[in-house]
Amino acid sequence: MNLPPNMLPPRLTAEDVLSNIHLLIVDDDRITRRLVHDLLKILGFSNVQIEPNGRAALDYIAFNPVDIIICDWKMAPMDGIEMTRAVRTQLSGGKRFTPIIMLTGKGEENDVKLARDSGITEYLLKPFTADTLFSRIKAVVDNPRGFVMSTAYTGPDRRRRSGMPPDGMKKRETD
């Protein structure tokens, strides 16, 4: 059955999709905030909010839609790790599942592990390019990770691979 053109659903463009994603930039450095904001606008995102620290971000998130958070680590009075833990454990409903991309200059292995164990979804080291920033955003949109909620950890599943473990043996039996 052929429908007349005026009855067909409108085709979504990439611009339509990007303009519906609400991004929040959290960074205490004015220049970095402006750079990330401008890059996101160039990439086609139109709903971009900026907050100067984790405390202000939590206040914003509590009353506004946010689909993805891009945050720095070192901020005062609340840094990116503290903010991530608060998002994961203190916010209600779906807000605690919001993907968080940490954009930071801290690149030591222990830093990456701490961020991962705090509930960060993706990690991006400064300096960065528009391509690497977009690739992290694309990763959280195209490949959402399962969410783990336990007494020891709340956040995205830290395992990146699915399937059998390297030794071929499942570690837990299922009932």
Side-chain angles (χ1 to χ4, degrees), residues 98-173:
T98 305
I100 302 173
I101 300 170
M102 178 153 285
L103 177 62
T104 181
K106 294 175 69 73
E108 297 294 322
E109 183 178 356
N110 288 338
D111 296 330
V112 176
K113 287 179 180 179
L114 177 60
R116 177 201 63 199
D117 293 345
S118 298
I120 292 296
T121 313
E122 290 289 333
Y123 201 85
L124 182 57
L125 198 57
K126 295 175 187 175
F128 63 96
T129 65
D131 287 340
T132 56
L133 177 60
F134 188 74
S135 73
R136 295 311 188 284
I137 294 169
K138 188 173 179 349
V140 300
V141 172
D142 289 348
N143 303 306
R145 295 182 9 220
F147 210 80
V148 175
M149 294 178 70
S150 72
T151 55
Y153 173 76
T154 300
D157 189 342
R158 295 174 281 191
R159 295 172 294 178
R160 294 225 179 234
R161 295 185 192 110
S162 59
M164 284 294 234
D167 63 5
M169 302 292 292
K170 288 191 176 185
K171 303 298 182 211
R172 296 183 184 176
E173 295 295 321

Side-chain angles (χ1 to χ4, degrees), residues 16-117:
D16 294 331
V17 172
L18 296 180
S19 69
N20 286 318
I21 296 175
H22 293 83
L23 291 144
L24 175 62
I25 302 165
V26 186
D27 199 310
D28 61 345
D29 182 70
R30 183 180 51 82
I31 294 170
T32 303
R33 286 193 310 254
R34 178 54 51 197
L35 173 66
V36 174
H37 177 270
D38 291 350
L39 280 174
L40 293 171
K41 291 290 189 171
I42 290 168
L43 291 169
F45 296 96
S46 57
N47 290 311
V48 181
Q49 176 67 29
I50 296 172
E51 293 297 339
N53 61 63
R55 174 61 44 214
L58 287 175
D59 292 342
Y60 180 82
I61 295 165
F63 299 103
N64 296 282
V66 174
D67 298 311
I68 300 171
I69 301 167
I70 300 170
C71 74
D72 187 26
W73 185 316
K74 296 174 79 175
M75 301 178 284
M78 177 183 274
D79 69 25
I81 295 295
E82 294 168 315
M83 182 202 72
T84 298
R85 288 179 179 146
V87 167
R88 299 295 184 227
T89 61
Q90 296 173 15
L91 294 181
S92 61
K95 292 181 185 260
R96 71 174 32 174
F97 307 117
T98 305
I100 302 173
I101 300 170
M102 178 153 285
L103 177 62
T104 181
K106 294 175 69 73
E108 297 294 322
E109 183 178 356
N110 288 338
D111 296 330
V112 176
K113 287 179 180 179
L114 177 60
R116 177 201 63 199
D117 293 345

